[in-house]
Amino acid sequence: MAHERFGFRINPPVFFISSSLIVAFVIFGAVFTEAAGALFETLRQGIAAMAGWMYILAVAFFLVFVIALFFSRYSRIRLGPDDSEPEFSYGSWFAMLFSAGMGIGLLFFSVAEPVLHYSNPPGMEGGTDAAVQEAMEITFFHWGVHAWAIYIVVGLSLAYFSFRHGLPLTVRSALYPILGERIYGPIGNAVDIFAVLGTLFGVATSLGLGVMQVNAGLTYLFGVQEAIWVQIVLIAGITFLAAISVALGLDRGIRRLSEFNIAVALLLVVFVFVVGPTVHLLNSLAANVGFYLDGLMENTFRTAAHGDPEWLGSWTIFYWGWWIAWSPFVGMFIARISRGRTIREFIGGVLLVPTALTFIWLTVFGNTALYLERLGLGTDIVVAVEESTPTALFVLLEQFPWAALSSLAATIVVVTFFVTSSDSGSLVIDIITAGGDPDPPVRQRIFWAVTEGVVAAILLVAGGLTALQTAAIATALPFTVIMLFICWGLLRGLRAERRDVLEEPVRRRKPRARAEPAVATKATGD
């Protein structure tokens, strides 16, 4: 399926069609900037109004599906041969999961989202004790198990069909039980093209948010101007670092950088926890988890029929679209690092551990900001966040001792998350466009790292945060349908294996000889 051309190893239809669509988008955004900005806003509102229900129901189904698999009879199946062992330790595995799955977005929204929901919660008066509860409940909901369930659907399917049944590590392989050998034809190519576009725009959304926050940090630390041109320069510089990490490979580059940024991020959390309202945060964590679980069903099925469609489109639908757009990237990445684990181990680890770390992070930063705001201590955080969302984290850190040092650490964490998101996304897109080759040429990874940076810059120029949100929501729409078929394909594959009737798929790169004598012996009963 893969062909060598000009030192690139590619699946030509997927590589050239997806590249052409991306180039067309870049030209449109760069040349017709104002028209692109207006189109992005209209498209975002239209999708939220007309297709919001689809995102709501699909994401609810994904969560139920993975929980059912966790408790099912299939949960002991190993993602690889029965005697395979995990490639990475739990520590490295969790570090890479968290870095790839949340990273930049969590740093961007951990202070800003609770504060914005507190000042303007849906369906109630802002600035009250009830608004504090509502703000944290909604924030937990957007960053909780639903996001990781989306990643699990894609990641588990890819790991199962690739490592256990020898299919290429690419999204089309998850549809083998439905399509059979047709995954190698036009339908499979279309699935992979959607996966490439979703991954690229999902990663570009995160890069755009990250560079806005890096700019805010440099403004606070060194008085650097907060402007689009500065952000484009930053994108260029950090993309260069990502290209270096990509060239170093998964073990020397991504793994070590993930472990580093997790270590620095944990130090930042511990610092705010210790110097902040420690006892209040412990109480808040328990309360937040309780309110989250209590409102899980109601929030899961909240639609525009009984709420504000504008709020829903800007928040819940944006998040569900963002997670779905990211799912080919994060799903394939966690599949790549999860060979040898059982299905139960995979689901439990991916669903619960990163979610628990996320809840701790959100409580420490979100509840500290709300605590200071409620007591009227320090800067008016609500006003500061409403004026500039990217500065929210730095406004909070400014309230504590050693603000310059902690802000520098926060900026470093944003940069390293930026790099890990870019190089992980580049690796995934490269694998897809190389026809599932798990180790494609380095120059291809560098090409996609640069492309992600260019797309992020165009989105910022064409419409800022609105354009980033629209890119995530729009590219996720077709992939939502594909994910529903992925669930069906995985279930069919597991059932077939359980009955020992799953056909051996054709391996396009290294066909395996049929065991004729064994088949004959079994047939004669000897």
Side-chain angles (χ1 to χ4, degrees):
M1 199 160 54
H3 299 270
E4 293 277 356
R5 296 193 179 186
F6 309 110
F8 279 42
R9 191 178 306 132
I10 61 172
N11 178 11
V14 176
F15 183 89
F16 288 117
I17 293 175
S18 56
S19 297
S20 298
L21 291 173
I22 291 165
V23 168
F25 168 83
V26 168
I27 293 173
F28 172 69
V31 177
F32 305 101
T33 305
E34 293 186 7
L39 177 63
F40 291 148
E41 176 61 23
T42 302
L43 191 60
R44 184 183 67 83
Q45 293 179 356
I47 292 174
M50 302 300 295
W53 61 271
M54 180 179 175
Y55 286 110
I56 297 296
L57 293 180
V59 172
F61 171 77
F62 298 147
L63 180 59
V64 172
F65 179 77
V66 300
I67 292 174
L69 279 183
F70 179 85
F71 290 105
S72 74
R73 57 186 177 176
Y74 310 119
S75 61
R76 294 182 181 179
I77 294 175
R78 196 164 290 277
L79 302 175
D82 290 334
D83 60 350
S84 59
E85 295 291 334
E87 182 179 358
F88 300 100
S89 67
Y90 278 117
S92 295
W93 189 49
F94 292 141
M96 288 190 284
L97 285 178
F98 190 77
S99 295
M102 294 297 176
I104 292 174
L106 193 57
L107 282 158
F108 189 90
F109 285 110
S110 59
V111 175
E113 183 171 354
V115 168
L116 291 173
H117 292 326
Y118 166 74
S119 64
N120 188 28
M124 68 168 60
E125 181 184 355
T128 64
D129 290 337
V132 173
Q133 171 188 326
E134 182 75 3
M136 294 309 302
E137 180 181 328
I138 292 171
T139 304
F140 269 39
F141 173 65
H142 288 154
W143 292 87
V145 293
H146 290 77
W148 292 98
I150 293 169
Y151 299 154
I152 289 171
V153 166
V154 178
L156 180 60
S157 299
L158 295 180
Y160 174 74
F161 288 110
S162 179
F163 299 143
R164 193 162 181 86
H165 295 289
L167 286 166
L169 186 61
T170 184
V171 178
R172 69 175 73 204
S173 297
L175 301 179
Y176 183 85
I178 301 172
L179 299 176
E181 296 305 307
R182 286 177 294 172
I183 66 169
Y184 298 109
I187 298 177
N189 289 335
V191 169
D192 280 352
I193 289 168
F194 282 126
V196 169
L197 296 177
T199 298
L200 188 132
F201 285 105
V203 173
T205 299
S206 290
L207 302 188
L209 296 177
V211 80
M212 291 165 69
Q213 197 163 35
V214 172
N215 193 176
L218 294 178
T219 301
Y220 172 79
L221 290 168
F222 306 112
V224 175
Q225 182 181 355
E226 198 165 346
I228 290 293
W229 72 267
V230 175
Q231 293 165 12
I232 292 175
V233 171
L234 289 172
I235 286 177
I238 300 175
T239 298
F240 175 74
L241 296 177
I244 294 175
S245 178
V246 161
L248 291 173
L250 181 62
D251 190 63
R252 289 189 301 161
I254 298 172
R255 179 179 67 84
R256 292 181 179 178
L257 198 56
S258 296
E259 292 172 350
F260 170 78
N261 61 27
I262 287 296
V264 179
L266 289 177
L267 286 175
L268 196 60
V269 170
V270 171
F271 169 75
V272 175
F273 176 76
V274 171
V275 302
T278 305
V279 175
H280 174 76
L281 293 178
L282 292 172
N283 288 325
S284 295
L285 179 61
N288 291 343
V289 172
F291 290 134
Y292 168 71
L293 295 175
D294 183 58
L296 194 61
M297 186 68 71
E298 177 184 351
N299 288 323
T300 296
F301 295 99
R302 179 186 299 188
T303 67
H306 304 290
D308 180 4
E310 177 62 27
W311 183 92
L312 200 71
S314 297
W315 290 105
T316 303
I317 302 303
F318 160 63
Y319 275 120
W320 286 184
W322 193 11
W323 304 147
I324 292 170
W326 261 52
S327 63
F329 152 47
V330 180
M332 187 176 294
F333 184 75
I334 63 176
R336 172 65 181 80
I337 64 176
S338 301
R339 180 186 175 94
R341 302 194 184 276
T342 65
I343 288 178
R344 176 167 292 175
E345 187 180 11
F346 182 95
I347 294 175
V350 177
L351 190 66
L352 299 179
V353 175
T355 299
L357 292 174
T358 300
F359 285 176
I360 293 171
W361 182 285
L362 291 171
T363 298
V364 169
F365 287 98
N367 279 106
T368 298
L370 295 176
Y371 177 85
L372 296 177
E373 176 66 26
R374 293 288 288 163
L375 294 182
L377 301 175
T379 303
D380 190 332
I381 294 178
V382 170
V383 173
V385 171
E386 288 178 344
E387 288 179 353
S388 177
T389 303
T391 65
L393 179 60
F394 302 103
V395 171
L396 174 66
L397 295 175
E398 194 176 34
Q399 314 306 312
F400 299 112
W402 306 303
L405 183 61
S406 61
S407 295
L408 178 61
T411 304
I412 292 172
V413 172
V414 175
V415 171
T416 53
F417 273 132
F418 189 125
V419 173
T420 53
S421 295
S422 179
D423 58 17
S424 302
S426 303
L427 177 62
V428 166
I429 294 174
D430 202 8
I431 291 173
I432 297 173
T433 56
D437 185 344
D439 190 27
V442 170
R443 68 181 64 185
Q444 287 179 222
R445 301 185 212 174
I446 295 174
F447 168 79
W448 287 113
V450 172
T451 301
E452 289 164 1
V454 171
V455 171
I458 293 297
L459 287 170
L460 283 173
V461 171
L465 186 57
T466 297
L468 295 170
Q469 290 178 327
T470 304
I473 294 173
T475 53
L477 191 58
F479 200 76
T480 302
V481 178
I482 293 173
M483 285 186 63
L484 293 171
F485 282 103
I486 287 175
C487 292
W488 182 22
L490 177 59
L491 191 58
R492 288 188 63 173
L494 292 171
R495 285 176 173 173
E497 176 171 337
R498 182 76 176 182
R499 297 193 303 268
D500 199 25
V501 298
L502 184 63
E503 293 184 7
E504 186 72 8
V506 175
R507 291 162 172 78
R508 290 303 175 100
R509 287 181 293 152
K510 294 182 179 179
R512 193 167 67 185
R514 295 176 183 245
E516 301 290 351
V519 173
T521 301
K522 184 176 180 180
T524 58
D526 292 337

